[in-house]
Amino acid sequence: MLRRLSGRVAFVTVGEGTGEVARARALGRALVAEGASVVLVSPDAGIGGRLAAELGAGAVFCSSDDVGADVDALVELAADLTRQA
């Protein structure tokens, strides 16, 4: 199986509504299946943490109330994941 996104990092924001979580889950699964490391970003640690656990080793959760203010931390996390790949 060709994993076209191997070595890449994707950020997926996770909303709090049922439909938003379902969309993030589907997108996260597709990205992980293609080999990407997925960073799930949400202000809700419960939702984000459960989704990361569900997606497995290819996904991590990063709590953020204000993604714009946390860009530097997110970029560093992506760099760490890329080095681990």
Side-chain angles (χ1 to χ4, degrees):
M1 176 179 178
L2 180 63
R3 294 170 56 94
R4 299 178 295 183
L5 299 177
S6 184
R8 308 265 181 159
V9 177
F11 292 94
V12 176
T13 56
V14 184
E16 296 181 35
T18 303
E20 293 172 12
V21 173
R23 283 188 292 276
R25 178 180 289 116
L27 179 57
R29 281 184 181 152
L31 290 165
V32 168
E34 287 294 334
S37 295
V38 175
V39 178
L40 300 159
V41 183
S42 174
D44 188 319
I47 291 171
R50 282 191 301 274
L51 186 52
E54 183 181 316
L55 294 177
V60 297
F61 168 67
C62 183
S63 179
S64 177
D65 290 328
D66 182 356
V67 175
D70 295 331
V71 169
D72 289 339
L74 293 171
V75 169
E76 184 60 34
L77 178 57
D80 289 345
L81 291 170
T82 301
R83 286 189 287 270
Q84 294 173 13

